[in-house]
Amino acid sequence: YKLKKINIPEEWFFCNPFKSHSEKIICGLTCKTGVIFFSEEPYKKKEFFKNIEPLVQICRKNRIIFIMQCSFFWARKYKANGILIDFKDKILSNMINFNLIKEKFLLAVKIHNYQEAKKFARDIDIVFISNVFRTKTHPKRDGLGIQKLFELCTFLKDKLNFALGGVNRINIKRLKNKNLKGFGAISCFRE
């Protein structure tokens, strides 16, 4: 339904609204790049969504597709295109009626292995396969590597798959395959 109405970008900026460089990066984006608002650190939701507000306005003005982390309420309020489901948030994941939400929003998720892909990707439109390579933002996490990425893309061939973690506009060319639409990144957009 909605995938036909929305031109899904091939690249996504994972935007932490608590980082000072976020506004500058979003101002430089075009509608060819989507934005995912997220924070992995513990945060106060009120502050998180307050910090997002000016960034959302920039996205809407520039017709940039954006996805909100884990909030049906705020996704509706800001007229987001989708919701990034965090299955670590047990309360949210237990409350979700995917059929109801899928009527209005794209659903996205980050997966890190085959078990998560099998468990979480069924009701999801967009899958970020993470982390492909070791990253500056998560130096203690090992990368999946190209072979595992290809295997997960094949398993998730009916989804819109994106490589995440250490991926940029140069190395994505080595990763491209018929089941991989593009990539998501943080550092790539700061370079």
Side-chain angles (χ1 to χ4, degrees):
Y1 88 91
K2 58 195 165 277
L3 297 177
K4 294 174 186 157
K5 295 180 188 175
I6 296 174
N7 188 15
I8 303 296
E10 291 187 11
E11 58 182 47
W12 291 86
F13 168 50
F14 274 70
C15 175
N16 182 336
F18 294 114
K19 302 292 183 183
S20 59
H21 59 265
S22 294
E23 185 171 352
K24 181 179 178 186
I25 291 171
I26 288 179
C27 285
L29 297 178
T30 68
C31 61
K32 293 181 180 183
T33 302
V35 173
I36 296 189
F37 292 109
F38 86 106
S39 176
E40 290 190 349
E41 301 119 31
Y43 62 87
K44 293 180 180 168
K45 286 187 178 186
K46 194 173 189 180
E47 290 174 16
F48 177 74
F49 293 110
K50 181 181 177 199
N51 285 17
I52 285 173
E53 192 162 0
L55 304 175
V56 164
Q57 298 309 322
I58 296 166
C59 287
R60 290 179 63 198
K61 178 182 171 197
N62 296 331
R63 296 181 180 190
I64 295 170
I65 290 174
F66 66 96
I67 292 176
M68 304 291 276
Q69 178 182 15
C70 292
S71 177
F72 178 70
F73 173 82
W74 290 99
R76 271 188 36 210
K77 177 176 171 127
Y78 288 133
K79 296 183 173 87
N81 301 95
I83 300 173
L84 178 68
I85 305 298
D86 182 354
F87 286 100
K88 290 182 239 166
D89 185 342
K90 299 295 183 217
I91 295 168
L92 178 70
S93 59
N94 289 337
M95 290 174 34
I96 291 177
N97 177 339
F98 285 106
N99 292 329
L100 178 67
I101 293 176
K102 281 183 82 138
E103 295 295 320
K104 300 202 179 285
F105 298 103
L106 292 167
L107 296 181
V109 68
K110 288 192 291 181
I111 60 119
H112 305 88
N113 54 50
Y114 178 77
Q115 291 78 16
E116 288 181 5
K118 192 173 179 182
K119 187 173 181 181
F120 301 133
R122 186 182 72 228
D123 296 308
I124 303 299
D125 303 303
I126 297 173
V127 178
F128 290 95
I129 301 170
S130 176
N131 56 308
V132 177
F133 303 113
R134 189 168 280 206
T135 66
K136 296 173 192 171
T137 51
H138 299 292
K140 293 181 182 175
R141 284 191 205 158
D142 287 334
L144 291 168
I146 296 172
Q147 182 64 36
K148 287 273 189 223
L149 172 71
F150 286 173
E151 290 170 11
L152 286 165
C153 286
T154 301
F155 177 72
L156 297 165
K157 64 184 174 215
D158 60 334
K159 305 294 177 190
L160 291 173
N161 297 311
F162 294 85
L164 178 63
V167 183
N168 58 43
R169 291 179 181 108
I170 296 167
N171 66 17
I172 187 65
K173 293 171 186 160
R174 290 191 351 232
L175 306 177
K176 276 297 214 174
N177 65 72
K178 66 180 181 178
N179 298 314
L180 185 69
K181 177 144 174 82
F183 72 97
I186 299 171
S187 302
C188 167
F189 293 97
R190 286 188 295 209
E191 297 169 352

